[in-house]
Coordinates of all heavy atoms in Angstrom, one line a residue:
M1 N 29.1 122.2 -54.0 CA 28.6 122.6 -52.8 C 27.7 123.9 -52.9 O 28.1 124.8 -53.7 CB 29.8 122.9 -51.9 CG 29.5 123.3 -50.5 SD 30.9 123.4 -49.4 CE 31.6 124.9 -50.0
L2 N 26.7 123.9 -52.2 CA 25.8 125.1 -52.3 C 26.6 126.4 -51.7 O 27.2 126.4 -50.8 CB 24.6 124.9 -51.5 CG 23.4 124.1 -52.0 CD1 22.3 123.8 -51.1 CD2 22.8 124.8 -53.2
Q3 N 26.2 127.5 -52.3 CA 26.9 128.7 -51.9 C 26.3 129.3 -50.6 O 27.0 129.8 -49.8 CB 26.8 129.9 -52.9 CG 27.6 129.6 -54.1 CD 27.6 130.9 -55.1 OE1 26.7 131.7 -54.9 NE2 28.4 130.8 -56.1
L4 N 25.1 129.1 -50.4 CA 24.3 129.5 -49.2 C 24.5 131.1 -49.1 O 25.1 131.7 -48.3 CB 24.8 128.9 -47.9 CG 24.6 127.4 -47.8 CD1 25.3 126.9 -46.6 CD2 23.2 127.0 -47.7
R5 N 24.0 131.8 -50.1 CA 24.0 133.2 -50.3 C 23.3 134.0 -48.9 O 22.3 133.3 -48.5 CB 23.4 133.6 -51.5 CG 24.2 133.1 -52.7 CD 23.6 133.6 -54.0 NE 24.3 133.0 -55.1 CZ 24.0 133.1 -56.4 NH1 22.9 133.6 -56.7 NH2 24.7 132.4 -57.3
P6 N 23.9 135.0 -48.6 CA 23.4 135.6 -47.4 C 22.3 136.5 -47.5 O 21.7 137.0 -46.3 CB 24.7 136.5 -47.0 CG 25.2 137.0 -48.3 CD 25.0 135.8 -49.3
N7 N 21.6 136.6 -48.6 CA 20.3 137.5 -48.7 C 19.5 137.2 -49.8 O 19.8 136.4 -50.6 CB 20.9 139.0 -48.9 CG 21.6 139.1 -50.3 OD1 22.3 138.4 -50.8 ND2 21.1 140.1 -51.1
C8 N 18.2 137.8 -49.6 CA 17.2 137.6 -50.7 C 17.7 138.5 -51.9 O 17.9 139.8 -51.8 CB 15.9 138.0 -50.2 SG 14.7 138.1 -51.5
E9 N 17.5 138.0 -53.0 CA 18.0 138.8 -54.3 C 16.9 139.8 -54.7 O 17.3 140.7 -55.4 CB 18.0 137.8 -55.5 CG 19.2 138.0 -56.4 CD 19.4 136.9 -57.5 OE1 19.9 135.9 -57.0 OE2 19.1 137.2 -58.6
C10 N 15.7 139.8 -54.2 CA 14.6 140.7 -54.4 C 14.7 141.9 -53.3 O 14.7 142.9 -53.8 CB 13.3 140.0 -54.4 SG 12.9 139.0 -55.7
C11 N 14.6 141.4 -52.0 CA 14.4 142.5 -51.0 C 15.6 142.6 -50.1 O 15.6 143.5 -49.3 CB 13.1 142.1 -50.3 SG 13.4 140.7 -49.3
D12 N 16.7 141.9 -50.4 CA 17.9 142.1 -49.6 C 17.7 141.7 -48.1 O 18.7 142.1 -47.3 CB 18.4 143.5 -49.6 CG 19.9 143.6 -49.4 OD1 20.6 142.5 -49.6 OD2 20.5 144.7 -48.9
R13 N 16.7 141.0 -47.8 CA 16.5 140.6 -46.4 C 17.7 139.5 -46.1 O 17.9 138.8 -47.1 CB 15.2 139.9 -46.3 CG 14.8 139.2 -45.2 CD 13.5 138.6 -45.4 NE 13.3 137.6 -44.3 CZ 12.1 137.2 -43.8 NH1 11.0 137.7 -44.3 NH2 12.0 136.3 -43.0
D14 N 18.2 139.5 -44.9 CA 19.1 138.5 -44.5 C 18.6 137.1 -44.4 O 17.5 136.9 -43.9 CB 19.7 138.9 -43.1 CG 20.6 140.1 -43.2 OD1 21.2 140.4 -44.3 OD2 20.8 140.7 -42.2
L15 N 19.4 136.2 -45.0 CA 18.9 134.9 -45.0 C 20.1 134.0 -44.5 O 20.8 133.4 -45.3 CB 18.6 134.3 -46.4 CG 17.3 135.0 -46.9 CD1 17.0 134.7 -48.4 CD2 16.0 134.5 -46.1
P16 N 20.3 133.9 -43.2 CA 21.4 133.2 -42.6 C 21.5 131.6 -43.0 O 20.2 131.2 -43.3 CB 21.4 133.5 -41.1 CG 20.0 133.9 -40.8 CD 19.4 134.5 -42.1
P17 N 22.4 131.0 -43.0 CA 22.6 129.6 -43.5 C 21.6 128.7 -42.6 O 21.3 127.6 -43.1 CB 24.1 129.2 -43.2 CG 24.6 130.2 -42.4 CD 23.9 131.6 -42.6
D18 N 21.2 129.1 -41.4 CA 20.4 128.2 -40.7 C 18.8 128.7 -40.7 O 17.9 128.2 -40.1 CB 20.7 128.3 -39.2 CG 20.6 129.8 -38.5 OD1 20.5 130.7 -39.2 OD2 20.7 129.7 -37.3
S19 N 18.6 129.6 -41.7 CA 17.3 130.2 -41.9 C 16.3 129.0 -42.6 O 16.8 128.4 -43.6 CB 17.3 131.4 -42.7 OG 16.0 131.8 -43.0
G20 N 15.1 129.0 -42.2 CA 14.1 128.1 -42.9 C 13.4 128.9 -43.9 O 12.4 128.4 -44.4
E21 N 13.7 130.1 -44.1 CA 13.0 131.0 -45.0 C 13.6 131.2 -46.3 O 13.1 131.9 -47.1 CB 12.9 132.5 -44.3 CG 12.2 132.5 -42.9 CD 10.7 132.4 -43.2 OE1 10.0 133.2 -43.8 OE2 10.1 131.4 -42.8
A22 N 14.7 130.5 -46.6 CA 15.4 130.7 -47.8 C 14.9 129.7 -48.9 O 14.8 128.6 -48.6 CB 16.9 130.6 -47.6
L23 N 14.7 130.2 -50.1 CA 14.5 129.3 -51.2 C 15.5 129.6 -52.4 O 15.9 130.6 -52.5 CB 13.1 129.5 -51.8 CG 12.0 128.9 -50.8 CD1 11.5 129.8 -49.7 CD2 10.7 128.5 -51.8
I24 N 15.8 128.5 -53.1 CA 16.7 128.7 -54.2 C 16.3 127.9 -55.4 O 15.4 126.9 -55.4 CB 18.1 128.0 -53.8 CG1 17.9 126.5 -53.4 CG2 18.8 128.7 -52.6 CD1 19.3 125.7 -53.1
C25 N 16.8 128.4 -56.6 CA 16.7 127.6 -57.8 C 17.9 126.7 -58.0 O 18.9 126.8 -57.2 CB 16.5 128.6 -59.0 SG 17.9 129.4 -59.5
S26 N 17.9 126.0 -59.1 CA 19.1 125.2 -59.4 C 20.3 125.9 -59.7 O 21.5 125.2 -59.6 CB 18.8 124.2 -60.5 OG 18.8 124.9 -61.8
Y27 N 20.3 127.1 -60.0 CA 21.5 128.0 -60.0 C 21.8 128.7 -58.7 O 22.7 129.7 -58.7 CB 21.3 129.0 -61.1 CG 21.2 128.4 -62.5 CD1 20.0 128.2 -63.1 CD2 22.3 128.0 -63.2 CE1 19.8 127.7 -64.3 CE2 22.2 127.3 -64.5 CZ 20.9 127.2 -65.0 OH 20.9 126.6 -66.3
E28 N 21.1 128.4 -57.6 CA 21.3 129.0 -56.3 C 20.9 130.5 -56.4 O 21.4 131.2 -55.4 CB 22.8 128.9 -56.0 CG 23.3 127.4 -55.8 CD 24.7 127.2 -55.5 OE1 25.1 127.8 -54.5 OE2 25.4 126.5 -56.3
C29 N 20.1 130.8 -57.2 CA 19.5 132.2 -57.0 C 18.7 132.1 -55.7 O 18.0 131.0 -55.5 CB 18.6 132.6 -58.2 SG 19.3 132.5 -59.8
T30 N 18.8 133.1 -55.0 CA 18.2 133.0 -53.4 C 17.3 134.0 -53.1 O 17.4 135.2 -53.5 CB 19.5 132.9 -52.5 OG1 20.3 131.9 -52.9 CG2 19.0 132.7 -51.1
F31 N 16.1 133.4 -52.6 CA 15.0 134.4 -52.2 C 14.4 134.2 -51.0 O 14.5 132.9 -50.5 CB 13.9 134.3 -53.4 CG 14.4 134.5 -54.7 CD1 14.9 133.5 -55.5 CD2 14.7 135.8 -55.2 CE1 15.4 133.7 -56.7 CE2 15.1 136.0 -56.4 CZ 15.6 135.0 -57.3
C32 N 13.7 135.0 -50.3 CA 13.2 134.8 -49.1 C 11.7 134.1 -49.3 O 11.2 134.3 -50.5 CB 13.0 136.0 -48.2 SG 11.7 137.3 -48.8
R33 N 11.1 133.6 -48.3 CA 9.8 132.9 -48.6 C 8.8 133.9 -49.1 O 8.0 133.5 -49.9 CB 9.4 132.2 -47.3 CG 8.3 131.2 -47.5 CD 8.1 130.4 -46.2 NE 9.1 129.4 -46.0 CZ 9.3 128.3 -46.6 NH1 8.5 127.8 -47.5 NH2 10.3 127.5 -46.2
A34 N 8.7 135.0 -48.4 CA 7.6 136.0 -48.8 C 7.8 136.5 -50.3 O 6.8 136.4 -51.1 CB 7.8 137.2 -47.9
C35 N 9.0 136.8 -50.7 CA 9.1 137.0 -52.2 C 9.0 135.8 -53.1 O 8.2 136.0 -54.1 CB 10.6 137.5 -52.5 SG 10.9 139.2 -51.8
A36 N 9.5 134.7 -52.7 CA 9.2 133.5 -53.6 C 7.8 133.2 -53.8 O 7.3 132.7 -54.8 CB 10.0 132.3 -52.9
T37 N 7.1 133.3 -52.7 CA 5.6 132.9 -52.8 C 4.7 134.1 -53.3 O 3.9 133.8 -54.3 CB 5.0 132.4 -51.3 OG1 5.3 133.5 -50.4 CG2 5.8 131.1 -50.9
E38 N 4.9 135.1 -52.7 CA 4.0 136.3 -53.1 C 4.3 136.9 -54.4 O 3.5 137.2 -55.2 CB 3.8 137.3 -52.1 CG 3.1 136.7 -50.8 CD 3.3 137.4 -49.6 OE1 3.7 138.7 -49.6 OE2 3.3 136.8 -48.5
T39 N 5.7 137.3 -54.5 CA 6.0 138.1 -55.7 C 6.4 137.1 -56.9 O 6.0 137.3 -58.1 CB 7.3 138.9 -55.4 OG1 7.1 139.6 -54.2 CG2 7.7 139.9 -56.5
L40 N 7.1 136.2 -56.6 CA 7.6 135.3 -57.8 C 6.8 134.1 -58.2 O 7.0 133.4 -59.2 CB 9.1 134.8 -57.5 CG 10.0 135.8 -57.0 CD1 11.3 135.4 -56.6 CD2 10.2 136.9 -58.3
R41 N 5.9 133.7 -57.3 CA 5.1 132.6 -57.4 C 5.9 131.3 -57.6 O 5.6 130.5 -58.6 CB 4.0 132.7 -58.5 CG 3.1 133.9 -58.2 CD 1.8 134.0 -59.1 NE 1.2 135.2 -58.8 CZ 0.2 135.3 -58.0 NH1 -0.3 134.3 -57.2 NH2 -0.4 136.4 -57.9
M42 N 6.9 131.1 -56.9 CA 7.8 130.0 -56.9 C 8.5 129.7 -58.1 O 8.9 128.4 -58.4 CB 6.9 128.6 -56.4 CG 6.1 128.7 -55.1 SD 7.2 129.3 -53.8 CE 7.9 127.6 -53.3
R43 N 8.8 130.8 -58.9 CA 9.4 130.6 -60.1 C 10.6 131.6 -60.1 O 10.4 132.8 -59.9 CB 8.6 130.7 -61.4 CG 9.2 130.1 -62.6 CD 8.1 129.6 -63.5 NE 7.3 128.5 -62.9 CZ 7.9 127.2 -63.1 NH1 9.0 126.9 -63.7 NH2 7.1 126.1 -62.7
C44 N 11.8 131.1 -60.4 CA 13.1 132.1 -60.4 C 12.9 133.0 -61.5 O 12.6 132.7 -62.5 CB 14.3 131.2 -60.5 SG 15.7 132.3 -60.6
P45 N 13.0 134.3 -61.2 CA 12.9 135.3 -62.2 C 14.2 135.5 -63.1 O 14.1 136.0 -64.3 CB 12.8 136.7 -61.4 CG 13.5 136.3 -60.2 CD 13.3 134.9 -59.9
N46 N 15.1 134.8 -62.8 CA 16.4 134.8 -63.6 C 16.4 133.7 -64.6 O 16.9 133.8 -65.8 CB 17.6 134.7 -62.7 CG 17.7 135.9 -61.7 OD1 17.4 137.0 -62.1 ND2 18.1 135.6 -60.5
C47 N 16.0 132.5 -64.3 CA 16.1 131.4 -65.1 C 14.9 130.6 -65.4 O 14.8 129.5 -66.2 CB 17.2 130.3 -64.6 SG 16.6 129.5 -62.9
A48 N 13.7 131.1 -64.6 CA 12.5 130.5 -64.9 C 12.4 129.1 -64.3 O 11.3 128.5 -64.4 CB 12.0 130.4 -66.3
G49 N 13.3 128.7 -63.5 CA 13.3 127.3 -62.9 C 12.5 127.4 -61.6 O 12.2 128.5 -61.1
E50 N 12.2 126.2 -61.0 CA 11.4 126.3 -59.8 C 12.3 126.6 -58.6 O 13.4 126.3 -58.5 CB 10.8 124.8 -59.7 CG 11.9 123.7 -59.5 CD 11.2 122.3 -59.3 OE1 10.1 122.3 -58.8 OE2 11.8 121.4 -59.7
L51 N 11.6 127.2 -57.6 CA 12.2 127.5 -56.3 C 11.8 126.5 -55.3 O 10.7 126.1 -55.2 CB 11.7 128.9 -55.9 CG 12.2 130.0 -56.8 CD1 11.6 131.3 -56.3 CD2 13.7 130.1 -56.9
V52 N 12.8 126.0 -54.5 CA 12.6 125.0 -53.5 C 13.3 125.4 -52.2 O 14.2 126.2 -52.2 CB 13.1 123.6 -53.9 CG1 12.4 123.1 -55.1 CG2 14.6 123.7 -54.2
A53 N 12.9 124.9 -51.1 CA 13.5 125.3 -49.8 C 14.9 124.9 -49.8 O 15.3 123.8 -50.3 CB 12.7 124.5 -48.7
R54 N 15.7 125.8 -49.4 CA 17.2 125.6 -49.2 C 17.6 124.9 -48.1 O 17.2 125.1 -47.0 CB 17.9 127.0 -49.2 CG 19.5 126.8 -49.1 CD 20.1 128.2 -49.2 NE 20.0 128.9 -47.9 CZ 20.5 130.0 -47.6 NH1 21.0 130.8 -48.5 NH2 20.3 130.7 -46.4
P55 N 18.2 123.7 -48.2 CA 18.6 122.9 -47.1 C 19.5 123.6 -46.2 O 20.3 124.5 -46.6 CB 19.2 121.7 -47.7 CG 19.6 122.1 -49.0 CD 18.7 123.3 -49.5
R56 N 19.4 123.4 -44.9 CA 20.3 124.2 -43.9 C 21.6 123.3 -43.7 O 21.4 122.0 -43.6 CB 19.6 124.4 -42.6 CG 18.6 125.5 -42.6 CD 17.6 125.4 -41.4 NE 16.5 124.4 -41.8 CZ 15.4 124.5 -41.3 NH1 15.1 125.3 -40.3 NH2 14.4 123.6 -41.5
R57 N 22.6 123.9 -43.7 CA 23.9 123.2 -43.4 C 24.1 123.1 -41.8 O 24.1 124.2 -41.2 CB 25.1 123.9 -44.1 CG 26.4 123.2 -44.1 CD 27.4 123.9 -44.9 NE 26.9 123.7 -46.4 CZ 27.4 124.5 -47.3 NH1 28.4 125.4 -47.1 NH2 26.9 124.4 -48.6
P58 N 24.4 122.0 -41.3 CA 24.6 121.9 -39.9 C 25.8 122.8 -39.4 O 26.8 123.0 -40.1 CB 25.0 120.4 -39.6 CG 24.5 119.7 -40.9 CD 24.5 120.6 -42.0
A59 N 25.7 123.3 -38.2 CA 26.6 124.3 -37.6 C 28.0 123.8 -37.7 O 29.0 124.5 -38.1 CB 26.2 124.8 -36.3
D60 N 28.3 122.6 -37.4 CA 29.7 122.0 -37.3 C 30.3 121.9 -38.7 O 31.4 122.1 -38.8 CB 29.7 120.7 -36.6 CG 28.9 119.6 -37.3 OD1 27.8 119.9 -37.8 OD2 29.4 118.5 -37.3
K61 N 29.4 121.9 -39.8 CA 29.9 121.8 -41.1 C 30.2 123.1 -41.7 O 31.0 123.4 -42.5 CB 29.0 121.1 -42.0 CG 28.6 119.7 -41.7 CD 29.7 118.8 -41.8 CE 29.5 117.3 -41.6 NZ 29.0 117.1 -40.2
L62 N 29.4 124.1 -41.1 CA 29.6 125.4 -41.5 C 30.9 126.0 -41.1 O 31.7 126.8 -41.8 CB 28.6 126.4 -40.9 CG 27.3 126.5 -41.7 CD1 26.2 127.2 -40.9 CD2 27.3 127.2 -43.0
A63 N 31.6 125.5 -40.2 CA 32.9 126.0 -39.6 C 33.8 125.6 -40.6 O 34.7 126.3 -40.9 CB 33.2 125.3 -38.2
K64 N 33.7 124.5 -41.2 CA 34.7 124.0 -42.3 C 34.3 124.5 -43.7 O 35.2 124.9 -44.4 CB 34.6 122.5 -42.3 CG 36.0 121.9 -42.9 CD 35.9 120.4 -42.8 CE 36.9 119.9 -43.9 NZ 36.5 118.5 -44.3
N65 N 33.0 124.6 -44.0 CA 32.6 125.0 -45.3 C 31.6 126.2 -45.1 O 30.4 126.1 -45.0 CB 31.7 123.9 -46.0 CG 32.7 122.7 -46.1 OD1 32.4 121.6 -45.7 ND2 33.7 122.8 -46.9
P66 N 32.1 127.4 -44.8 CA 31.3 128.6 -44.5 C 30.3 128.9 -45.7 O 30.7 128.7 -46.8 CB 32.2 129.6 -44.0 CG 33.6 129.2 -44.7 CD 33.5 127.7 -44.8
A67 N 29.3 129.6 -45.2 CA 28.4 130.2 -46.2 C 28.9 131.3 -47.0 O 29.9 132.0 -46.5 CB 27.0 130.7 -45.6
S68 N 28.4 131.6 -48.2 CA 29.0 132.7 -49.0 C 28.6 134.0 -48.3 O 27.6 134.1 -47.6 CB 28.2 132.7 -50.3 OG 28.5 134.0 -50.9
T69 N 29.4 135.1 -48.4 CA 29.2 136.3 -47.9 C 29.1 137.4 -48.9 O 28.7 138.5 -48.7 CB 30.3 136.9 -47.0 OG1 31.6 136.9 -47.7 CG2 30.5 135.9 -45.8
E70 N 28.9 136.8 -50.2 CA 28.8 137.8 -51.2 C 27.2 138.0 -51.5 O 26.6 137.1 -52.0 CB 29.5 137.2 -52.5 CG 29.6 138.2 -53.6 CD 30.3 137.6 -54.9 OE1 31.2 136.7 -54.7 OE2 29.8 137.9 -56.0
R71 N 26.9 139.3 -51.3 CA 25.5 139.6 -51.5 C 25.1 139.7 -53.0 O 25.8 140.5 -53.7 CB 25.1 140.8 -50.7 CG 25.3 140.7 -49.3 CD 25.0 141.9 -48.4 NE 23.5 142.0 -48.2 CZ 23.0 141.5 -47.1 NH1 23.7 140.8 -46.3 NH2 21.7 141.6 -46.8
V72 N 24.1 139.0 -53.4 CA 23.6 139.2 -54.7 C 22.2 139.9 -54.7 O 21.3 139.4 -53.9 CB 23.5 137.7 -55.5 CG1 22.9 138.0 -56.8 CG2 24.8 137.1 -55.5
L73 N 22.1 140.9 -55.5 CA 20.8 141.8 -55.3 C 20.5 142.2 -56.7 O 21.2 142.6 -57.4 CB 21.1 142.8 -54.4 CG 19.9 143.7 -54.1 CD1 18.8 142.9 -53.3 CD2 20.2 145.0 -53.2
K74 N 19.2 142.0 -57.0 CA 18.7 142.6 -58.4 C 18.5 144.1 -58.3 O 17.9 144.6 -57.2 CB 17.3 141.9 -58.8 CG 17.4 140.4 -59.0 CD 16.2 139.8 -59.3 CE 15.6 140.1 -60.7 NZ 16.4 139.4 -61.8
K75 N 19.1 144.7 -59.1 CA 19.2 146.2 -59.0 C 17.8 146.9 -59.0 O 17.7 147.8 -58.2 CB 19.9 146.7 -60.4 CG 20.8 148.0 -60.1 CD 21.5 148.4 -61.4 CE 22.9 148.1 -61.3 NZ 23.6 148.4 -62.6
H76 N 16.9 146.5 -59.6 CA 15.4 147.0 -59.7 C 14.6 146.1 -58.9 O 13.3 146.3 -59.2 CB 15.1 147.3 -61.1 CG 16.0 148.1 -61.9 ND1 16.3 149.4 -61.6 CD2 16.9 147.9 -62.9 CE1 17.2 149.9 -62.4 NE2 17.7 148.9 -63.1
G77 N 14.9 145.3 -58.0 CA 14.0 144.5 -57.2 C 13.4 143.4 -58.3 O 13.9 143.1 -59.3
C78 N 12.3 142.9 -57.8 CA 11.7 141.8 -58.5 C 10.2 142.3 -58.9 O 9.5 142.8 -58.1 CB 11.5 140.5 -57.7 SG 13.2 139.7 -57.4
E79 N 9.8 142.0 -60.1 CA 8.5 142.2 -60.6 C 7.6 141.2 -60.1 O 7.9 140.0 -60.1 CB 8.4 142.4 -62.0 CG 8.7 143.8 -62.5 CD 8.6 144.0 -64.0 OE1 7.6 143.6 -64.6 OE2 9.5 144.4 -64.6
K80 N 6.3 141.5 -59.7 CA 5.4 140.4 -59.3 C 5.0 139.7 -60.6 O 4.6 140.2 -61.6 CB 4.1 141.2 -58.8 CG 3.3 140.3 -57.9 CD 2.2 141.2 -57.1 CE 1.2 140.3 -56.5 NZ 1.7 139.8 -55.3
A81 N 5.1 138.3 -60.4 CA 4.8 137.4 -61.4 C 3.2 137.4 -61.7 O 2.4 137.5 -60.8 CB 5.1 135.9 -61.1
A82 N 2.8 137.4 -62.9 CA 1.4 137.4 -63.4 C 0.7 136.1 -62.9 O 1.3 135.0 -62.8 CB 1.2 137.6 -64.8
Ligands
ZN1 ZN1 12.8 138.7 -50.3
ZN2 ZN1 17.4 130.9 -61.2

């Protein structure tokens, strides 16, 4: 099951489980759309894998399988991809 992390790993912006702005890699590294497109160029800085839109979990399912509340943040932010 996807963790649905609560924030962008680069800029710490909130990414609620119903957000359409969240992108993830196959390891669930999570980024906002602005960082993913402008800074990272759709490639995960941790694993070099591709970033894709994170699917939204329906609200009634979230009650039973809540999103992660553990914030993951890169200490020094994200460098702009060349
Ligand atoms: Zn961000
Ligand atoms: Zn990754």
Side-chain angles (χ1 to χ4, degrees):
M1 184 171 73
L2 278 174
Q3 286 185 350
L4 300 172
R5 295 178 187 170
N7 66 311
C8 172
E9 218 172 286
C10 290
C11 68
D12 201 27
R13 168 187 167 150
D14 285 337
L15 294 169
D18 62 350
S19 172
E21 295 289 297
L23 284 86
I24 56 171
C25 77
S26 71
Y27 294 99
E28 300 174 53
C29 307
T30 304
F31 305 96
C32 72
R33 190 171 295 277
C35 289
T37 55
E38 288 159 34
T39 307
L40 305 173
R41 297 189 191 274
M42 303 307 277
R43 200 151 289 280
C44 177
N46 303 321
C47 69
E50 64 184 329
L51 296 174
V52 298
R54 184 178 72 184
R56 281 163 282 199
R57 186 169 300 162
D60 60 321
K61 301 294 187 296
L62 277 169
K64 202 180 158 207
N65 303 116
S68 168
T69 55
E70 195 181 320
R71 299 180 85 84
V72 178
L73 184 62
K74 287 174 83 67
K75 214 179 250 173
H76 303 293
C78 294
E79 277 182 47
K80 202 169 168 73

